[in-house]
Amino acid sequence: MENILEVRNLRVWDLNSDKVLIANNSFDLRRSSCLAIVGESGSGKSITCRSIMRLNGSSLRQSGEILFKGENLTTLSEKKMRRKRGRKLCMILQNGMSAFDPSCVIGVHLKETLAEHFDCDWKKNEIEEKMKLAMESVMLKNPIEIMNKYPHQLSGGMLQRIMIALAIVLEPDIIIADEPTTALDTVSQFEVVEQFIQLRKKMGCSMIFISHDLGVVRKIADEVLVMKDGEIVERGPTEAIFLKPEHKYTKYLVSTRLALSENFKKLMRGETIVAES
Amino acid sequence: MGRYIINRVFISIPLLLIISLLTFVLINLSPLDPAEVVLQAQGVPKITDELIAQTKEELGMDQPFILRYFDWLVASLQLDFGDSYVTGKPVWSLIGPAFLNTFKLTFVSSVVIIVMSILLGVICALKEGKIVDKSVRGVSFFLTAMPSYWLASIMIWYVSVKFDLLPTSGMDSYKSYILPVIVITISYAGIYFRNVRTSMISNLNEDYVLYGRACGLPEKKITVHILRNSLQVAISIFGMAIPIILGSTVVIENIFAWPGLGSLSVKAILSRDFPIIQAYVLILAAVFVLFNTVSDIVNAAMNPKIRNDL
């Protein structure tokens, strides 16, 4: 399988403190596969993702190459990079509650984003219709009503699914999900993970899935990267990582997994009950 | 939203009543006998107890406190603040035009201050840590630290006397506004633009900005979202700033000989002209309450969360 994204010698450092946050990391994302990045908070998972999108804060600098379908993203102009964001590389954030402008109804963000990417080649009604269908497909009933609500009137899980629905309409090549289940309660977590699995099945897009919940990772990922202190300490196919962890840190993570994701596993066994409610 | 406005206006009524009562009590606690003040002001040569008692009766001072308060309150609501002790003219005929003059100056200054604060705040926030940001903050700090009366005198000396570009004082044409407005703007804009800047910067680090960018929205649209959220803080501050400026133009008005509330109230205080002082305090308090209410309503219109808070 060919690689859709190749990250070469990615290095990120803080300009103010000269602290190196990501040290010379290289990894590949294969077409239509899901790569999970696991590790504790502060290990550089989110910064890696934001570096791919080139969305790190102004005090962070990055070097190295990021090849998307052979094109180096790091040398693109800001304008060309902006066109790639959303349309080609789509991000789903951890906290749905703060991901939307609190003073606007949800529909404003959706319409602005869609108008930005589709205005030239699609008619307005068609996009709206597609958005509605996408929202229904992620189990959001009454899409029109939801679009007219403010973020604080919706639940974290609903907002997360709205982000997924937006990704469905944008049809990106790569979806980057930055801890999409961390801020949710176990029931919503289950629903959101289900939607991610559906999303991969339906669209066949590639995905980078950041999480520290190994139960979720095992269910969704094809390959796993383990990060610690800005370095990749282990990588390999998911099952191999879980069955035969080699690095000390990975062993530690896997051994604590059972305790961590006990609730999640319980829910997975009782799938039907949740789906009905 | 309509319900919020009605509720908010309704709440301010008891507030105004309390303020009016406090004003009345405080003025009446003054050790001076108003009747004596009136007689002194009229230049009566020999003040006898009999005369004082007679004047008290004329002014209605012999009635119980509560009755006098209600009479005053009802009259004040009709803009009848009584007659000045000193000149004998109705208070409203003195305070009305003065209030209008001060309001004109405050209005022009506030517009300039708000425009400058938002402009500088946005520029500094977008260029945070860069030379533009640092120099604007440095210069504004320097200017804000200068006492306004000193700045006003310097300006009059250079601009009006030495180069004869603008009038030194008075209120004759639009030119008379320029110097006072500049002085007021310099002393306030430096404080308020920092509020806009800080709130912009804290919004810049919000997740919705990251998500907007990750969705490929252009910077221009994202800035509009940030502004919308950061202005909510600024609006409450501006809502309070306008009455503060209105009440604190005393110094500026005296230097530029502006025929406004500031000069009138100082004169009234010095000659113990109680009806004018009472009316002045009451009007300013009412303006405070009014602007507070208005800024709350504007904020509620911008921020859906607040609407349910009342």
Side-chain angles (χ1 to χ4, degrees):
Chain A
M1 250 193 294
E2 55 165 329
N3 292 331
I4 192 160
L5 187 82
E6 297 175 13
V7 176
R8 294 278 166 266
N9 306 323
L10 177 68
R11 199 181 141 83
V12 181
W13 66 97
D14 193 318
L15 262 189
N16 299 331
S17 60
D18 277 331
K19 203 182 154 204
V20 176
L21 302 165
I22 304 279
N24 230 22
N25 283 350
S26 303
F27 60 90
D28 301 325
L29 173 66
R30 278 183 295 186
R31 188 178 285 279
S32 309
S33 76
C34 176
L35 174 75
I37 305 181
V38 297
E40 60 197 7
S41 352
S43 59
K45 299 172 303 204
S46 295
I47 293 178
T48 305
C49 287
R50 287 181 198 180
S51 306
I52 296 170
M53 301 287 282
R54 278 175 51 190
L55 281 175
N56 274 321
S58 55
S59 64
L60 298 185
R61 288 282 180 279
Q62 65 187 73
S63 69
E65 284 184 335
I66 295 163
L67 301 169
F68 169 69
K69 291 181 173 171
E71 189 179 11
N72 191 351
L73 294 181
T74 50
T75 52
L76 279 185
S77 71
E78 184 49 39
K79 203 175 167 192
K80 278 187 181 157
M81 187 63 213
R82 183 162 66 71
R83 294 247 170 79
K84 293 258 187 290
R85 289 185 201 131
R87 193 82 173 91
K88 306 279 177 199
L89 303 155
C90 190
M91 217 169 162
I92 289 167
L93 295 189
Q94 178 187 119
N95 196 343
M97 277 297 183
S98 57
F100 294 92
D101 180 349
S103 328
C104 290
V105 291
I106 299 292
V108 171
H109 177 89
L110 299 179
K111 275 173 199 154
E112 274 182 353
T113 307
L114 296 174
E116 193 58 36
H117 295 292
F118 296 121
D119 218 3
C120 4
D121 38 1
W122 266 0
K123 277 186 192 152
K124 274 228 158 117
N125 290 342
E126 258 176 273
I127 305 176
E128 276 198 47
E129 202 49 47
K130 247 195 141 164
M131 188 71 224
K132 269 179 233 159
L133 285 176
M135 285 171 82
E136 274 161 6
S137 77
V138 292
M139 318 281 283
L140 290 166
K141 286 159 202 153
N142 304 325
I144 302 280
E145 204 177 295
I146 289 174
M147 279 195 226
N148 285 320
K149 285 212 162 134
Y150 291 96
H152 70 273
Q153 295 170 313
L154 299 167
S155 73
M158 284 171 112
L159 292 162
Q160 205 85 52
R161 280 179 280 153
I162 292 171
M163 285 196 259
I164 296 173
L166 183 59
I168 292 174
V169 181
L170 289 168
E171 293 180 329
D173 294 305
I174 301 176
I175 289 179
I176 301 178
D178 187 353
E179 308 216 25
T181 58
T182 312
L184 302 177
D185 61 85
T186 330
V187 176
S188 322
Q189 232 178 52
F190 169 77
E191 287 171 347
V192 166
V193 170
E194 267 311 293
Q195 291 310 328
F196 270 106
I197 293 167
Q198 292 293 324
L199 182 68
R200 281 197 60 206
K201 269 189 201 153
K202 253 187 286 184
M203 296 168 56
C205 64
S206 324
M207 192 183 287
I208 298 180
F209 195 93
I210 301 185
S211 184
H212 48 232
D213 189 337
L214 295 179
V216 175
V217 167
R218 192 167 190 179
K219 197 163 160 50
I220 201 167
D222 302 315
E223 276 181 281
V224 178
L225 280 185
V226 183
M227 281 188 81
K228 188 174 192 296
D229 300 330
E231 281 177 58
I232 298 173
V233 293
E234 190 162 359
R235 62 181 89 201
T238 311
E239 280 311 304
I241 293 274
F242 276 90
L243 295 175
K244 273 189 284 171
E246 278 173 10
H247 193 275
K248 212 173 85 190
Y249 181 63
T250 319
K251 278 182 190 155
Y252 169 71
L253 279 182
V254 172
S255 68
T256 51
R257 171 184 69 93
L258 279 173
L260 273 169
S261 53
E262 198 45 48
N263 283 333
F264 185 78
K265 285 184 89 184
K266 257 187 223 155
L267 269 164
M268 290 310 231
R269 267 183 249 123
E271 263 182 32
T272 46
I273 309 163
V274 179
E276 274 166 20
S277 65
Chain B
M1 192 61 207
R3 244 191 68 194
Y4 178 87
I5 295 176
I6 292 167
N7 279 340
R8 193 63 195 76
V9 171
F10 195 73
I11 281 181
S12 57
I13 292 173
L15 194 61
L16 278 171
L17 278 178
I18 294 169
I19 291 170
S20 69
L21 183 66
L22 277 177
T23 316
F24 197 75
V25 170
L26 284 176
I27 300 274
N28 276 274
L29 280 178
S30 156
L32 284 165
D33 190 341
E36 226 179 297
V37 176
V38 175
L39 291 173
Q40 273 170 1
Q42 286 168 350
V44 177
K46 200 173 166 227
I47 300 167
T48 58
D49 286 350
E50 205 177 303
L51 252 176
I52 288 178
Q54 197 191 329
T55 325
K56 263 190 178 170
E57 211 187 316
E58 274 170 27
L59 292 170
M61 294 283 179
D62 50 348
Q63 280 176 339
F65 176 79
I66 280 293
L67 269 182
R68 277 190 286 139
Y69 168 65
F70 277 112
D71 284 347
W72 172 72
L73 188 66
V74 171
S76 296
L77 285 177
Q78 299 156 347
L79 293 180
D80 172 18
F81 297 102
D83 297 334
S84 160
Y85 287 171
V86 180
T87 56
K89 285 184 195 159
V91 171
W92 182 244
S93 74
L94 296 167
I95 222 168
F99 179 77
L100 197 67
N101 288 343
T102 298
F103 188 76
K104 278 183 198 160
L105 183 62
T106 308
F107 181 76
V108 177
S109 311
S110 304
V111 169
V112 177
I113 288 171
I114 290 172
V115 170
M116 290 289 288
S117 304
I118 293 177
L119 212 67
L120 289 175
V122 170
I123 291 172
C124 286
L126 295 179
K127 302 274 174 201
E128 190 200 349
K130 305 235 169 80
I131 295 172
V132 184
D133 177 32
K134 283 179 180 159
S135 50
V136 169
R137 276 192 293 155
V139 171
S140 79
F141 181 73
F142 182 70
L143 288 175
T144 314
M146 284 199 258
S148 53
Y149 57 86
W150 180 76
L151 201 65
S153 322
I154 295 272
M155 285 209 168
I156 291 176
W157 169 246
Y158 276 103
V159 181
S160 308
V161 180
K162 225 174 173 183
F163 298 106
D164 197 22
L165 295 171
L166 295 166
T168 54
S169 61
M171 189 188 147
D172 309 316
S173 66
Y174 72 94
K175 279 183 181 168
S176 315
Y177 282 88
I178 297 174
L179 282 183
V181 167
I182 288 176
V183 174
I184 296 175
T185 305
I186 283 176
S187 41
Y188 287 95
I191 303 167
Y192 296 124
F193 101 91
R194 270 161 204 272
N195 290 311
V196 177
R197 177 182 172 274
T198 317
S199 120
M200 274 283 282
I201 288 174
S202 69
N203 266 287
L204 270 172
N205 294 321
E206 287 284 328
D207 273 355
Y208 71 84
V209 177
L210 177 71
Y211 188 56
R213 286 188 181 139
C215 285
L217 292 182
E219 275 308 299
K220 222 191 276 171
K221 273 191 183 157
I222 291 173
T223 311
V224 172
H225 283 289
I226 299 172
L227 252 183
R228 196 187 153 109
N229 284 293
S230 29
L231 280 190
Q232 285 161 19
V233 181
I235 283 172
S236 327
I237 298 166
F238 289 140
M240 283 289 94
I242 294 169
I244 289 176
I245 299 168
L246 196 68
S248 61
T249 49
V250 180
V251 178
I252 300 296
E253 282 184 6
N254 276 312
I255 294 174
F256 288 102
W258 195 267
L261 266 190
S263 351
L264 183 74
S265 61
V266 170
K267 240 184 277 167
I269 291 167
L270 290 177
S271 58
R272 301 189 182 90
D273 202 342
F274 290 142
I276 292 186
I277 302 172
Q278 258 174 353
Y280 172 73
V281 175
L282 191 69
I283 288 176
L284 269 190
V287 171
F288 258 98
V289 173
L290 176 76
F291 273 91
N292 196 11
T293 310
V294 169
S295 69
D296 272 0
I297 290 171
V298 173
N299 258 344
M302 286 174 80
N303 185 350
K305 260 190 208 168
I306 299 177
R307 269 173 235 170
N308 311 323
D309 279 358
L310 209 74

